[in-house]
């Protein structure tokens, strides 16, 4: 399978799946068309994720998930304009964002399953770690981080708000599939971890919990806000995303500050 066929396979699902909308919330489309990245399964950066200063020893290598793995496909699902724009007001999360966050992840899981099935049908072994029973989260650090994988696969760089900024912004979700099929890696167009973030501080101003500082994001503060202020009010949905909307990196690369 070449890169164009891979992008077509993913985007046909984005365009055609009935899960990419939420009738009860009036959302016609949760996600717009994807960006797709590819990394070699033996890219040395996967080993670097095992460092305690990055994620930790429990982060598994592609070949620990799938013996004989050759490539890792990572994709970015940008939230549609209707989901992003609804969340531009300050304060509580928009209804569209909450549905996008929860029903959107159900769509993402369906896409992960679809890709695995497509590869298996073509005779190639494939797994999506998030769907595996071995997937786990230890002290808020998972054993397969979609954002770190997306960085390795050439999709974008980290931001002050700890999102990943892609050429289609940071308001969206990531997914990945490991395959035992040789695919040409996509070259990374960056060399620095935070290269696409212009450090404008827009996300600091937007955050209702004060979790983002010039020095970085305090993940525990954000998590506590979601747990205590959002979940009880909006259960079974939750989310916030104010740091990803109405900011220069919402749906594109931010301009560099001169
Ligand atoms: S709002 Fe500015 S500082 Fe915050 S993540 Fe986006 S580009 Fe970086
Ligand atoms: S998700 Fe909300 S609370 Fe968490 S850092 Fe972003 S703006 Fe702040």
């Amino acid at each position: 399978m070449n890169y164009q066929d891979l992008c077509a396979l993913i985007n046909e699902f984005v365009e055609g799946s009935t899960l990419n909308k939420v009738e009860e919330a009036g959302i016609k489309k949760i996600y717009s068309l994807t960006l797709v990245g590819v990394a070699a399964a033996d890219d040395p950066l996967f080993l670097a994720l095992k460092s305690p200063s990055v994620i930790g020893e429990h982060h598994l290598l592609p070949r620990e998930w799938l013996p004989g793995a050759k490539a890792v496909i990572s994709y970015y699902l940008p939230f549609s304009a209707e989901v992003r724009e609804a969340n531009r007001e300050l304060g509580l999360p928009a209804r569209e964002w909450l549905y996008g966050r929860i029903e959107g992840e159900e769509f993402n899981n369906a896409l992960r399953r679809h890709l695995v099935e497509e590869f298996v049908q073509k005779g190639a072994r494939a797994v999506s770690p998030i769907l595996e029973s071995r997937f786990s989260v230890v002290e808020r650090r998972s054993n397969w981080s979609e954002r770190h994988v997306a960085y390795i696969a050439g999709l974008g760089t980290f931001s002050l708000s700890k999102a990943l900024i892609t050429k289609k912004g940071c308001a969206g979700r990531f997914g990945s599939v490991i395959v035992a099929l040789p695919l040409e890696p996509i070259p990374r167009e960056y060399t620095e971890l935070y290269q696409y973030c212009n450090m404008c501080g827009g996300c600091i101003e937007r955050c209702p919990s004060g979790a983002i500082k010039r020095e970085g994001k305090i993940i525990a503060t954000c998590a506590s806000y979601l747990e205590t202020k959002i979940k009880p009010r909006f259960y079974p949905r939750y989310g916030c995303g104010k740091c990803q909307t109405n900011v220069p990196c919402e749906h594109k690369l931010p301009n560099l500050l001169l």
Side-chain angles (χ1 to χ4, degrees):
M1 179 181 289
N2 64 32
Y3 181 70
Q4 282 68 31
D5 291 341
L6 179 61
C7 295
L9 176 65
I10 296 175
N11 279 323
E12 274 164 24
F13 193 81
V14 171
E15 296 224 285
S17 170
T18 54
L19 293 174
N20 193 17
K21 62 181 173 185
V22 190
E23 273 170 17
E24 70 178 85
I27 300 173
K28 293 184 207 67
K29 196 150 265 196
I30 303 174
Y31 297 116
S32 308
L33 296 181
T34 56
L35 288 175
V36 181
V38 180
D42 60 359
D43 190 309
L45 285 185
F46 285 113
L47 195 56
L49 300 184
K50 284 185 176 285
S51 162
S53 64
V54 185
I55 297 178
E57 187 58 38
H58 68 290
H59 196 278
L60 299 180
L61 298 170
R63 285 180 186 155
E64 290 176 305
W65 288 105
L66 181 72
K70 296 265 194 310
V72 179
I73 299 160
S74 173
Y75 56 81
Y76 173 62
L77 292 165
F79 281 129
S80 65
E82 62 182 302
V83 172
R84 288 187 283 103
E85 289 170 10
N87 204 46
R88 285 181 180 172
E89 267 188 41
L90 283 170
L92 292 170
R95 173 180 154 89
E96 290 84 345
W97 188 269
L98 293 168
Y99 275 84
R101 187 78 174 67
I102 303 305
E103 275 73 2
E105 198 51 22
E106 286 173 14
F107 168 87
N108 195 3
N109 280 337
L111 174 55
R112 290 176 173 118
R113 270 192 295 276
H114 176 67
L115 290 175
V116 169
E117 285 163 12
E118 285 285 326
F119 281 107
V120 169
Q121 269 179 20
K122 288 178 177 19
R125 290 175 300 116
V127 295
S128 183
I130 304 296
L131 302 177
E132 295 286 296
S133 58
R134 283 189 293 159
F135 177 73
S136 64
V137 181
V138 179
E139 291 174 0
R140 297 201 184 97
R141 293 180 172 198
S142 66
N143 59 359
W144 185 254
S145 165
E146 296 287 21
R147 282 176 310 127
H148 287 80
V149 171
Y151 176 89
I152 297 171
L155 285 179
T157 80
F158 290 91
S159 72
L160 187 62
S161 62
K162 287 287 180 286
L164 197 86
I165 303 178
T166 72
K167 288 182 176 171
K168 291 192 177 189
C170 68
R173 305 287 291 170
F174 293 90
S176 62
V177 174
I178 303 169
V179 290
L181 188 74
L183 294 169
E184 192 65 31
I186 301 296
R188 288 186 284 275
E189 294 178 12
Y190 41 80
T191 52
E192 304 297 325
L193 273 179
Y194 291 89
Q195 196 164 316
Y196 289 165
C197 176
N198 66 13
M199 299 291 163
C200 66
C203 50
I204 299 176
E205 308 297 320
R206 299 268 303 155
C207 178
S209 73
I212 309 173
K213 312 280 182 205
R214 281 274 160 208
E215 304 73 42
K217 177 174 164 181
I218 306 163
I219 291 169
T221 304
C222 168
S224 162
Y225 171 75
L226 292 175
E227 205 55 46
T228 60
K229 304 277 192 244
I230 302 295
K231 242 185 188 170
R233 185 163 180 161
F234 297 104
Y235 185 84
R237 292 182 185 78
Y238 65 93
C240 167
K242 297 297 174 186
C243 53
Q244 296 172 13
T245 47
N246 211 10
V247 286
C249 55
E250 178 194 281
H251 59 97
K252 59 180 178 54
L253 291 179
N255 293 329
L256 289 178
L257 295 179
L258 298 174

